[in-house]
């Protein structure tokens, strides 16, 4: 799996949030995960967006990756 994780603070209408994201690819499959959480929630990209991508990839049959 190749990818990049990141996070960014967001504010809209007085509501502060944090965007946690991970984009990547494995074989012929590209994917993106975006999670919006309340600011100060204490979550990190490793603990959420990357984990969600892992759950997705474990459910994809190996033959789909073109290996």
């Amino acid at each position: 799996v190749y990818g990049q994780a990141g996070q960014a603070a967001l504010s809209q209408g007085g509501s502060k949030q944090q965007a946690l994201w991970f984009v990547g690819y494995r074989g012929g499959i590209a994917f993106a995960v975006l999670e919006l959480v309340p600011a100060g929630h204490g979550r990190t990209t490793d603990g959420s967006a990357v984990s969600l991508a892992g759950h997705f990839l474990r459910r994809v049959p190996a033959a789909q990756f073109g290996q």
Side-chain angles (χ1 to χ4, degrees):
V1 175
Y2 299 92
Q4 178 68 47
Q7 57 188 6
L10 301 173
S11 180
Q12 183 177 11
S15 174
K16 294 183 179 182
Q17 294 184 325
Q18 186 174 16
L20 308 172
W21 54 269
F22 182 72
V23 296
Y25 67 96
R26 180 175 174 194
I29 297 178
F31 54 89
V33 176
L34 172 65
E35 183 178 13
L36 299 175
V37 297
H41 196 272
R43 287 185 139 171
T44 65
T45 55
D46 290 341
S48 59
V50 173
S51 178
L52 290 170
H55 288 295
F56 165 74
L57 291 171
R58 282 191 289 279
R59 286 165 177 74
V60 176
Q64 296 294 316
F65 293 116
Q67 298 176 348

